[in-house]
Amino acid sequence: MADLNINIAGMQFKNPVTTASGCFGYGEEFRDFYDLGLLGGIFVKAVTGSNRDGNKYPRMAETPSGMLNSVGLQNKGVDHFCEFIYPRLREFNTQIIVNVSGSTIEEYVKVAERINELEGIPAIELNISCPNVKEGGMAFGVVPSTATEVTRAVRDVYKKVLMVKLSPNVTSITEMAKAVVDGGADVLTLINTLLGMAINAETQRPVISTITGGLSGPAIKPVALRMVWQVFKAVKIPIVGLGGIMNATDAIEFMLAGASVIQVGTANFIDPMVAPKIVEGINEYLDRHNIASAREIIGALKVC
Amino acid sequence: MADLNINIAGMQFKNPVTTASGCFGYGEEFRDFYDLGLLGGIFVKAVTGSNRDGNKYPRMAETPSGMLNSVGLQNKGVDHFCEFIYPRLREFNTQIIVNVSGSTIEEYVKVAERINELEGIPAIELNISCPNVKEGGMAFGVVPSTATEVTRAVRDVYKKVLMVKLSPNVTSITEMAKAVVDGGADVLTLINTLLGMAINAETQRPVISTITGGLSGPAIKPVALRMVWQVFKAVKIPIVGLGGIMNATDAIEFMLAGASVIQVGTANFIDPMVAPKIVEGINEYLDRHNIASAREIIGALKVC
Amino acid sequence: MPVILPGQFVQVLVHNSPSTFLRRPFSIHFVDYARNTLKLLVQVKGEGTRHMGMLAPGDTLNLVYPLGNSFSVPASHKVLLVGGGAGVAPLMFMGDFLNQKSIRPDFLVGFRSADEVSQVEEYSKYGKVYLSTDDGSMGEKGFVTQNPVFNQSPLPYDRIYCCGPDAMMHAVANIAAEKGVACEVSLENYMACGYGVCLCCITQTDKGNERVCIEGPVFDAARLKWQSNG
Amino acid sequence: MPVILPGQFVQVLVHNSPSTFLRRPFSIHFVDYARNTLKLLVQVKGEGTRHMGMLAPGDTLNLVYPLGNSFSVPASHKVLLVGGGAGVAPLMFMGDFLNQKSIRPDFLVGFRSADEVSQVEEYSKYGKVYLSTDDGSMGEKGFVTQNPVFNQSPLPYDRIYCCGPDAMMHAVANIAAEKGVACEVSLENYMACGYGVCLCCITQTDKGNERVCIEGPVFDAARLKWQSNG
Ligand SMILES: Cc1cc2nc3c(=O)[nH]c(=O)nc-3n(C[C@H](O)[C@H](O)[C@H](O)COP(=O)(O)OP(=O)(O)OC[C@H]3O[C@@H](n4cnc5c(N)ncnc54)[C@H](O)[C@@H]3O)c2cc1C
Ligand SMILES: Cc1cc2nc3c(=O)[nH]c(=O)nc-3n(C[C@H](O)[C@H](O)[C@H](O)COP(=O)(O)OP(=O)(O)OC[C@H]3O[C@@H](n4cnc5c(N)ncnc54)[C@H](O)[C@@H]3O)c2cc1C
Ligand SMILES: Cc1cc2nc3c(=O)[nH]c(=O)nc-3n(C[C@H](O)[C@H](O)[C@H](O)COP(=O)(O)O)c2cc1C
Ligand SMILES: Cc1cc2nc3c(=O)[nH]c(=O)nc-3n(C[C@H](O)[C@H](O)[C@H](O)COP(=O)(O)O)c2cc1C
Ligand code: FES
Ligand code: FES
């Protein structure tokens, strides 16, 4: 049994396997499948300043080795979260990180302030990369100066671990990474979805109501790995890596590229048991390769 | 039998189906499979100012619903092309377009000038989007001002149809499109490959020699469709669309999104007969939908 | 097997189909606890269902189940089950379930034409069967909504349970509303997860966006704002 | 069937394997024109070959063939065919081909252990067989390069044809070079297309980068710069 503990920005993860925001609800839905205490952590669904209905149906299209979604941050807002959801989350024996979204800097700040008060929530993940909302969302995540600005504004009010989730829809992911480091981020999460589109040739219409949506799943894994690797070489803060992770081998690839912790997103839809299986698989891999600790493979890619 | 003729920038294509640069050699290899006269056109492998050996082996990695390549523009240079390859291309009864690449503006200009002299080559496709060469290549295709500059420099010396092939590795594809329109492009080709990476977890090494490479195949289709659609709405010049087209349905999706002509790339590796099958399939689709001409579906996506 | 109720569904992992990335949802067609069997009734629509059609006896299938809510238990014995096409799937299970509660429902099933009609004798074990085909090649000609069953006034039912294509369910729900009969429909929205975490499968109801996979697939028709589906 | 020469290969489309996107190359193991059959010898390595292993008699396979060049026709009768693991595949075909030219080659085949050894009697139809296993569980112990065949000086062969893992071919090529015997090797580089258009499969030779799928897979070992392969 290898040592799976990972410590980033002072946060202790019992293993590097967490679940991605928007792909795991508030965790509760998975209690029927397994003990959530098996996970390193859970990134819960985006929370915004107030209630959002999200986008119109249809919100989903299957694509080759992936899917498009345009959920659009549907959630009941931060007040509802604090009052009704937070108390239930506290029961889980794993790290709970809240994904914070918004349309304006004020909204991000408001949500972050509220979450800051919640005991037992050690970190937020600032989602400046959602492609599925008209204003805000991805807009903050594709221009370095605004990314710095929103990060700094949240940094000023948020006292615990500040993670910022980056959009892959940019020319230079390292420039974006540096911009949010400048703004005071403690940890970087990458990547969110790629902006894509699906068309039904028979009806000659877009498949999803918003025409374009966010592409996730194994299709984007090569892009995600590349970005994790580029950012790992460019900045000094820890990386949470994701994008198309379906099994332990994929997870290990992300760690070799530089991720300290990984998130499992779309894979939860294909196999609800996948996350604990990945924990198991990482352990087996480390044992088989005689590696004592998961920490040893972070960024350990051999490139010469 | 529907009318499959497409006319863009004064060039006549007998049908919208062409083959992508780097995925079809110089066409000759496919003569054993079918009559190249069945195609709308052929975009031949990149030609540079002088001989290039390309990158080291391994140059290829399979990925979910796609592949990474890092061929790196291997070719014998424009002199060799004009002397030995061009005469053989002239025998094909289809449009031949030469993909022009380089590391400096001077190199692009030099190659374009030479190709300009060749009778029977109605167009070049300026490749400012190759992710697999150290200098030049993609660098020109991700910064609007340099994209305008290289396009304008080539425009000054090249008198026939100037197509410019864009990189998808940018924050705003419409901005890039407008930049090369400003530079004098007649036609836009999109997209080239997405920059990606593959890792062998067992050996803990990158799979390809260049660490990162270009992602192609169905995995990138949603991104390609989205970019074609965005650019179709943003500029007035015709679009050649590609990225993951495997069959006639895919081709029709690109045309609905705004492509006048489509290119088949990676699919040629899976089925060498795929391009003429797509011509057939487009014809069947048009007949089945009682559409008289392929021109009618260009940009015809219904979005309300 | 766990306790399964009529109206619930399974999520099927389709092996060996390169273009089928997500699981595919199917209503539970029948459950036989004694024999430990669960039946699905699958219509071939695309690649996923085509590959399911290639399964051989003895092959294994990876399922997540039981998912979703279920049809309500009716308070009266006057029940009509309406189904169209592959949408008839859950009716057999519901018929058996009602019989066990000593209710013999009427069935109204619609198909495109005679060669698509199946299992009519099976249904008649559980109740009286009315049949419609679009082309009139068997039973009444026309859509189920044109079946003479609906000409009766007042309708001799206290509750209608309906599943099938959206347009059909909407039309049945409209008739039920007009005639003042309670109606439950089982929706077939596109799903990614099937267990409530992705928020892709929503339908608009009087409570806003609800998840068809968790709050549904069965809804009181009166609560639905149909325009949102598709 | 078209004319096929030993050393040529096929590109196989692997159906129903979601993670196998590209075709998979395999040497042609045997051709029987009379019966119109073509044989492949496939070792299960990953998902593609695992799915090929699940094929049943009568299943169809989509092939592009024949691809690549072939082993040269030797000028003398003193020929050694060396193969290791799945790399033995083309040797059977070459043996038959040589027999038809009235040449009885010697075979030297290497496997990891006795339970991987196959078809030794088959080879002996075409020539004398020397056998090595890494663990000595059958034939000589050690790599093929340690087989006593290579202790002879001078080597009683005018030409060696070799296929197998890169390291093995390189080692055999080195011995051949030392002993002044001409040697041809059949490379197994990663391929995307298999017919010369993608430029992915290159190997460095005295002429620069050559395509293994077109200019190869068979190369005169003396022309190769081995360091480039992997
Ligand atoms: C709760 C639920 C229960 C269902 N029960 C059954 C059942 O008992 N028997 C049965 O045969 N089918 C049932 N379906 C529908 C079934 O899930 C789809 O037919 C199947 O997923 C199609 O998969 P495919 O890969 O073959 O087709 P695809 O290639 O995915 O699609 C083929 C065609 O069918 C359409 N389509 C696919 N899924 C849906 C959908 N959910 N809604 C509307 N159109 C769709 C597509 O737009 C496309 O035109 C149910 C669906 C849901 C949500
Ligand atoms: C010209 C040629 C002829 C061949 N002839 C035969 C033959 O007759 N019989 C036979 O069994 N195999 C042969 N091979 C090898 C065969 O193509 C691979 O084993 C097969 O493609 C693996 O596919 P997969 O999906 O099962 O494995 P993958 O999942 O693709 O790979 C599994 C493992 O095998 C390694 N691997 C896969 N392909 C290659 C390769 N080309 N070179 C080195 N390592 C590789 C991968 O790195 C990985 O570790 C030949 C290859 C070439 C190029
Ligand atoms: C249905 C769905 C909903 C999502 N919602 C959110 C969200 O609310 N906030 C967020 O930061 N990312 C969201 N994402 C993005 C994922 O967290 C993740 O970044 C992305 O899907 C890539 O990882 P994957 O390929 O493992 O799914 C969502 C993704 C999906 C598929
Ligand atoms: C092996 C390979 C070589 C390529 N070489 C070139 C090239 O020389 N010039 C170029 O503009 N694009 C090149 N491309 C990119 C393709 O032309 C095309 O833009 C890309 O592959 C996306 O299309 P596809 O998904 O249909 O393959 C190459 C692609 C591949 C896979
Ligand atoms: S399908 Fe995911 S929430 Fe219903
Ligand atoms: S495999 Fe494509 S050139 Fe050889």
Side-chain angles (χ1 to χ4, degrees), chain B residues 11-47:
Chain B
M11 275 177 82
Q12 187 67 30
F13 290 84
K14 68 179 86 161
N15 63 60
V17 181
T18 67
T19 54
S21 178
C23 303
F24 207 70
Y26 297 108
E28 302 173 301
E29 293 83 355
F30 281 84
R31 290 178 105 167
D32 286 348
F33 294 115
Y34 57 86
D35 171 10
L36 299 179
L38 294 171
L39 299 177
I42 296 173
F43 288 76
V44 300
K45 177 73 192 160
V47 176

Coordinates of all heavy atoms in Angstrom, one line a residue, chain B residues 11-47:
Chain B
M11 N -13.0 29.8 -58.2 CA -12.5 28.5 -58.4 C -13.7 27.5 -58.5 O -14.6 27.6 -57.6 CB -11.6 28.0 -57.3 CG -10.2 28.4 -57.4 SD -9.4 27.8 -55.8 CE -9.1 26.1 -56.3
Q12 N -13.7 26.6 -59.4 CA -14.8 25.7 -59.6 C -14.4 24.3 -59.0 O -13.4 23.8 -59.4 CB -15.0 25.5 -61.1 CG -16.2 24.7 -61.5 CD -17.5 25.4 -61.1 OE1 -17.6 26.7 -61.0 NE2 -18.5 24.6 -60.7
F13 N -15.2 23.9 -58.0 CA -15.0 22.5 -57.5 C -16.1 21.6 -58.0 O -17.3 22.0 -57.8 CB -15.0 22.6 -56.0 CG -13.8 23.2 -55.4 CD1 -13.7 24.6 -55.2 CD2 -12.7 22.5 -54.9 CE1 -12.6 25.2 -54.7 CE2 -11.6 23.1 -54.4 CZ -11.5 24.5 -54.3
K14 N -15.8 20.5 -58.5 CA -16.9 19.7 -59.1 C -17.8 19.1 -58.0 O -18.9 18.7 -58.2 CB -16.4 18.6 -60.0 CG -15.6 17.5 -59.4 CD -15.1 16.5 -60.4 CE -13.8 16.9 -61.1 NZ -13.1 15.8 -61.7
N15 N -17.2 19.1 -56.8 CA -18.0 18.8 -55.6 C -17.3 19.3 -54.4 O -16.1 19.7 -54.5 CB -18.3 17.2 -55.5 CG -17.0 16.4 -55.3 OD1 -16.3 16.7 -54.3 ND2 -16.7 15.6 -56.3
P16 N -18.0 19.4 -53.2 CA -17.3 20.1 -52.1 C -16.3 19.2 -51.3 O -15.8 19.7 -50.3 CB -18.5 20.3 -51.1 CG -19.7 19.6 -51.6 CD -19.4 19.0 -52.9
V17 N -16.0 18.1 -51.8 CA -15.1 17.1 -51.1 C -13.7 17.2 -51.6 O -13.4 16.9 -52.7 CB -15.6 15.7 -51.1 CG1 -14.7 14.8 -50.3 CG2 -17.1 15.6 -50.7
T18 N -12.8 17.6 -50.7 CA -11.4 17.7 -51.0 C -10.6 16.9 -49.8 O -11.2 16.6 -48.9 CB -10.9 19.1 -51.0 OG1 -10.9 19.7 -49.7 CG2 -11.7 20.0 -52.0
T19 N -9.3 16.8 -50.0 CA -8.5 16.1 -49.0 C -7.6 17.0 -48.4 O -7.0 17.9 -49.0 CB -7.8 14.9 -49.7 OG1 -7.0 15.3 -50.8 CG2 -8.8 13.8 -50.1
A20 N -7.3 16.8 -47.1 CA -6.5 17.7 -46.3 C -5.0 17.5 -46.4 O -4.5 16.4 -46.6 CB -6.9 17.6 -44.8
S21 N -4.3 18.6 -46.3 CA -2.9 18.6 -46.4 C -2.3 17.7 -45.4 O -2.7 17.8 -44.2 CB -2.4 20.0 -46.3 OG -1.0 20.0 -46.3
G22 N -1.3 16.9 -45.8 CA -0.6 16.1 -44.8 C -1.3 14.7 -44.6 O -0.7 13.9 -43.9
C23 N -2.5 14.6 -45.1 CA -3.2 13.3 -44.9 C -3.5 12.6 -46.3 O -4.3 11.7 -46.3 CB -4.6 13.7 -44.3 SG -4.4 14.5 -42.7
F24 N -2.8 13.1 -47.3 CA -3.1 12.6 -48.6 C -1.9 12.6 -49.5 O -2.0 12.4 -50.7 CB -4.2 13.4 -49.3 CG -5.1 12.7 -50.3 CD1 -6.0 11.8 -49.9 CD2 -5.0 13.0 -51.6 CE1 -6.8 11.1 -50.8 CE2 -5.8 12.3 -52.6 CZ -6.7 11.4 -52.1
G25 N -0.7 12.8 -48.9 CA 0.5 12.8 -49.6 C 0.4 13.8 -50.8 O -0.1 14.9 -50.6
Y26 N 0.9 13.3 -51.9 CA 0.7 14.1 -53.1 C -0.3 13.5 -54.0 O -0.3 13.7 -55.2 CB 2.1 14.3 -53.8 CG 3.1 15.1 -53.0 CD1 4.2 14.4 -52.4 CD2 2.9 16.4 -52.7 CE1 5.1 15.1 -51.6 CE2 3.8 17.1 -51.9 CZ 4.9 16.4 -51.4 OH 5.8 17.1 -50.6
G27 N -1.2 12.8 -53.4 CA -2.3 12.2 -54.2 C -2.0 10.9 -54.8 O -2.8 10.0 -54.8
E28 N -0.8 10.8 -55.3 CA -0.4 9.6 -56.1 C -0.6 8.3 -55.3 O -1.0 7.3 -55.9 CB 1.1 9.6 -56.4 CG 1.4 10.9 -57.2 CD 3.0 11.0 -57.3 OE1 3.7 11.1 -56.3 OE2 3.4 11.0 -58.5
E29 N -0.4 8.3 -54.0 CA -0.6 7.1 -53.2 C -2.0 6.5 -53.3 O -2.2 5.4 -53.1 CB -0.2 7.3 -51.8 CG 1.3 7.7 -51.5 CD 1.6 9.1 -51.8 OE1 0.8 9.9 -52.2 OE2 2.8 9.5 -51.5
F30 N -2.9 7.4 -53.6 CA -4.3 7.0 -53.6 C -4.8 6.6 -55.0 O -6.0 6.1 -55.2 CB -5.2 8.2 -53.1 CG -5.2 8.2 -51.6 CD1 -4.2 8.9 -50.9 CD2 -6.2 7.6 -50.9 CE1 -4.2 8.9 -49.5 CE2 -6.2 7.6 -49.5 CZ -5.1 8.3 -48.8
R31 N -3.9 6.6 -56.0 CA -4.4 6.2 -57.3 C -4.7 4.7 -57.4 O -5.5 4.3 -58.2 CB -3.3 6.5 -58.3 CG -3.1 8.0 -58.6 CD -2.0 8.3 -59.5 NE -2.5 8.6 -60.8 CZ -1.7 9.1 -61.8 NH1 -0.5 9.3 -61.6 NH2 -2.3 9.5 -62.9
D32 N -4.1 4.0 -56.5 CA -4.4 2.5 -56.5 C -5.8 2.3 -55.9 O -6.4 1.3 -56.1 CB -3.5 1.8 -55.5 CG -2.1 1.6 -56.1 OD1 -1.9 1.9 -57.3 OD2 -1.2 1.2 -55.3
F33 N -6.3 3.3 -55.2 CA -7.6 3.1 -54.5 C -8.8 3.6 -55.4 O -9.8 3.0 -55.4 CB -7.6 3.8 -53.2 CG -6.7 3.2 -52.2 CD1 -5.6 3.9 -51.7 CD2 -6.9 1.9 -51.7 CE1 -4.7 3.3 -50.7 CE2 -6.0 1.3 -50.8 CZ -4.9 2.0 -50.3
Y34 N -8.6 4.8 -56.0 CA -9.7 5.3 -56.8 C -9.2 6.4 -57.8 O -8.1 6.9 -57.6 CB -10.9 5.8 -56.0 CG -10.5 6.9 -55.0 CD1 -10.5 8.2 -55.3 CD2 -10.2 6.6 -53.6 CE1 -10.2 9.2 -54.4 CE2 -9.9 7.5 -52.7 CZ -9.9 8.9 -53.1 OH -9.6 9.9 -52.2
D35 N -10.1 6.8 -58.7 CA -9.8 7.8 -59.7 C -9.9 9.2 -58.9 O -10.9 9.6 -58.5 CB -10.8 7.7 -60.8 CG -10.8 8.9 -61.7 OD1 -9.8 9.7 -61.6 OD2 -11.7 9.1 -62.5
L36 N -8.8 9.9 -58.9 CA -8.7 11.1 -58.1 C -9.7 12.2 -58.7 O -10.0 13.2 -58.1 CB -7.3 11.7 -58.0 CG -6.3 10.7 -57.3 CD1 -4.9 11.3 -57.3 CD2 -6.8 10.5 -55.9
G37 N -10.1 12.0 -60.0 CA -11.0 12.8 -60.6 C -12.4 12.9 -60.0 O -13.2 13.7 -60.3
L38 N -12.6 11.9 -59.1 CA -13.9 11.9 -58.3 C -13.9 13.0 -57.3 O -15.0 13.3 -56.8 CB -14.1 10.5 -57.6 CG -14.2 9.3 -58.5 CD1 -14.2 8.0 -57.7 CD2 -15.6 9.4 -59.3
L39 N -12.8 13.6 -56.9 CA -12.7 14.5 -55.9 C -12.9 16.0 -56.3 O -12.6 16.3 -57.5 CB -11.4 14.4 -55.1 CG -11.0 13.1 -54.5 CD1 -9.6 13.2 -53.9 CD2 -12.1 12.8 -53.4
G40 N -13.4 16.8 -55.5 CA -13.5 18.2 -55.7 C -12.1 18.8 -55.8 O -11.8 19.7 -56.7
G41 N -11.2 18.4 -55.0 CA -9.8 18.9 -55.0 C -8.9 18.2 -54.1 O -9.4 17.3 -53.3
I42 N -7.6 18.5 -54.2 CA -6.6 17.9 -53.3 C -5.7 19.0 -52.8 O -5.2 19.8 -53.5 CB -5.7 16.9 -54.1 CG1 -6.6 15.7 -54.6 CG2 -4.6 16.4 -53.3 CD1 -5.8 14.8 -55.5
F43 N -5.6 19.0 -51.4 CA -4.6 19.9 -50.8 C -3.4 19.1 -50.5 O -3.4 18.2 -49.7 CB -5.2 20.5 -49.5 CG -6.3 21.5 -49.8 CD1 -7.6 21.1 -50.1 CD2 -6.1 22.9 -49.6 CE1 -8.6 22.0 -50.4 CE2 -7.1 23.8 -49.9 CZ -8.4 23.4 -50.2
V44 N -2.3 19.4 -51.2 CA -1.1 18.6 -51.1 C -0.3 18.9 -49.8 O -0.5 20.0 -49.2 CB -0.2 18.6 -52.3 CG1 -1.0 18.1 -53.5 CG2 0.4 19.9 -52.6
K45 N 0.5 18.0 -49.4 CA 1.4 18.2 -48.2 C 2.1 19.5 -48.3 O 2.5 20.0 -49.3 CB 2.4 17.0 -48.2 CG 3.4 17.0 -47.1 CD 2.9 16.6 -45.8 CE 3.8 17.0 -44.6 NZ 3.2 17.1 -43.3
A46 N 2.4 20.0 -47.1 CA 3.1 21.3 -46.9 C 4.4 21.4 -47.7 O 5.2 20.4 -47.7 CB 3.4 21.6 -45.4
V47 N 4.6 22.5 -48.4 CA 5.9 22.8 -49.1 C 6.5 23.9 -48.4 O 5.9 25.0 -48.1 CB 5.6 23.1 -50.6 CG1 6.9 23.5 -51.3 CG2 4.9 21.9 -51.3

